[in-house]
Amino acid sequence: MSDDAKSSAAALSRAAALLDDGVSEPAEVVAAFEAAATVLKTPCGGGEMVWHAFGDGPPLALLHGGHGSWLHWLRMIAPLAEANRILVADMPGYGASGDLPDIPNEGTAFADAMAEPIVAGLKILCGSEPVALAGFSFGGVVATRAARMLGTQCRELVIVGSMGFGFALSDPPPLRKVRTVSSDALAEVHRANLASMMFANADRIDDLAVHIQTLNVPRARAPSRLASRSAALLEALPDVTAPITAIYGERDAVAFQHDERWEILKAHPAGARQHVIDGMGHWVQYEAAGAVAPLMRDALAARLVPDAAS
């Protein structure tokens, strides 16, 4: 390992220790991960798409959910970077990345417009090397469209809490508006929204989760619901050549059709596995990080049993 790689690994280890100690200030934790990352940029419309890179090994791109940023994956970075080069995106129109030049007013076209600069960026960052993709929620829809575009270069696809199967959402979780809320009440409103949509267990909403939400929401500028409430993921599946691992919280407030989804996924020719984490909600890789990390590591190590569900 080079001196630079050793220094980066040490910085990531320090960041992970702050994350796990339960007493560090949220801003300090985020700053430590920022310091441990190599920030990379690729073209995005007339601007740039921002990636935070960690670790070494086979590349794995992580795509966040709606109203999110790379921070949606914060609790997965250290465990996944043990064996992979992690490329954690701010997707177009989110976080520090630039905007799409045009936003199609249709779910599948919008998901493809999001996926195109991601695929182009991965080809710049990884060349022709096989790449694994993982997407959370809306990011799972985009990841599936990107996997379709990458063809055989995509070696594994992991979807976490992902919609895009065309299932109706007749009673979406109620969310409080934040744009007119005073700064003193903002944390309380973000916590309430996390409890409504993202977590099944309110006692697992820590100050770091609220801080991440506070950073993410004002920088979300693209309409993720266009893709999430479409069948864009379902329509791309026949052209995805990689095995698929699906991970969901049992009590996911928006992606809860576990049996119906498995009926679709189990027919995937390259093999599929679905894991449903008992008692957990939508942001399952945060709420149940200790359960999700080994499932993702197993999938990325190609220990996938076709036509198996758990």
Side-chain angles (χ1 to χ4, degrees), residues 141 162-169 227-235 257 261 264:
V141 182
S162 296
M163 299 172 70
F165 285 85
F167 299 138
L169 185 62
S228 293
R229 296 187 180 182
S230 74
L233 189 155
L234 176 67
E235 292 169 5
Q257 302 91 341
R261 184 177 52 250
I264 295 167

Side-chain angles (χ1 to χ4, degrees), residues 19 25-31 33-34 64-77 90 95 136 186-187 190-191 194 198-199 204-220 283 285-287:
L19 178 63
E25 290 295 322
E28 182 183 8
V29 174
V30 172
F33 276 90
E34 286 271 14
H64 58 77
H67 288 83
S69 74
W70 72 281
L71 295 171
H72 269 168
W73 289 100
L74 197 68
R75 291 193 176 275
M76 293 291 100
I77 289 171
D90 276 354
F136 164 55
L186 195 56
H190 281 310
R191 189 178 292 272
L194 287 169
M198 300 287 271
F199 285 75
R204 292 179 180 264
I205 306 173
D206 56 12
D207 290 343
L208 178 60
V210 175
H211 181 64
I212 289 172
Q213 187 80 346
T214 302
L215 293 174
N216 284 348
V217 170
R219 300 187 299 167
W283 194 6
Q285 79 273 23
Y286 191 100
E287 188 174 8

Side-chain angles (χ1 to χ4, degrees), residues 106-112 140-142 144-145 148 163-166 226-238:
E106 188 275 325
T108 299
F110 171 59
D112 280 344
V141 182
V142 178
T144 306
R145 304 301 298 192
R148 178 176 178 268
M163 299 172 70
F165 285 85
L226 274 178
S228 293
R229 296 187 180 182
S230 74
L233 189 155
L234 176 67
E235 292 169 5
L237 281 176

Side-chain angles (χ1 to χ4, degrees), residues 29-292:
V29 174
V30 172
F33 276 90
E34 286 271 14
T38 300
V39 177
L40 305 170
K41 296 180 180 180
T42 57
C44 176
E48 295 176 317
M49 187 172 161
V50 176
W51 308 74
H52 288 74
F54 305 84
D56 193 18
L60 163 64
L62 301 177
L63 307 182
H64 58 77
H67 288 83
S69 74
W70 72 281
L71 295 171
H72 269 168
W73 289 100
L74 197 68
R75 291 193 176 275
M76 293 291 100
I77 289 171
L80 295 178
E82 292 175 4
N84 291 271
R85 179 191 182 203
I86 310 299
L87 299 166
V88 201
D90 276 354
M91 293 198 291
Y94 293 89
S97 288
D99 294 335
L100 291 173
D102 296 297
I103 297 178
N105 191 28
E106 188 275 325
T108 299
F110 171 59
D112 280 344
M114 293 290 294
E116 285 167 0
I118 292 168
V119 170
L122 288 172
K123 288 186 177 292
I124 292 169
L125 299 175
C126 305
S128 59
E129 185 176 2
V131 177
L133 296 175
F136 164 55
S137 191
F138 159 62
V141 182
V142 178
T144 306
R145 304 301 298 192
R148 178 176 178 268
M149 294 175 187
L150 284 167
T152 57
Q153 188 177 355
C154 179
R155 68 176 181 88
E156 193 78 33
L157 174 63
V158 180
I159 57 174
V160 180
S162 296
M163 299 172 70
F165 285 85
F167 299 138
L169 185 62
S170 56
D171 189 20
L175 297 175
R176 295 171 60 182
K177 295 185 180 299
V178 299
R179 298 190 186 281
T180 59
V181 174
S182 69
S183 57
D184 292 341
L186 195 56
E188 177 188 348
V189 172
H190 281 310
R191 189 178 292 272
N193 286 342
L194 287 169
S196 179
M197 181 169 177
M198 300 287 271
F199 285 75
N201 306 280
D203 58 354
R204 292 179 180 264
I205 306 173
D206 56 12
D207 290 343
L208 178 60
V210 175
H211 181 64
I212 289 172
Q213 187 80 346
T214 302
L215 293 174
N216 284 348
V217 170
R219 300 187 299 167
R221 308 173 307 278
S224 60
R225 290 181 182 178
L226 274 178
S228 293
R229 296 187 180 182
S230 74
L233 189 155
L234 176 67
E235 292 169 5
L237 281 176
D239 297 319
V240 173
T241 60
I244 297 174
T245 294
I247 302 173
Y248 288 82
E250 177 200 13
R251 293 168 57 193
D252 192 316
V254 292
F256 47 80
Q257 302 91 341
H258 304 310
D259 291 341
E260 296 94 326
R261 184 177 52 250
W262 177 240
E263 284 300 312
I264 295 167
L265 290 175
K266 71 181 183 181
H268 186 60
R273 171 174 280 180
Q274 176 168 281
H275 303 277
V276 179
I277 311 299
D278 289 347
M280 298 299 162
H282 186 56
W283 194 6
V284 66
Q285 79 273 23
Y286 191 100
E287 188 174 8
V292 172

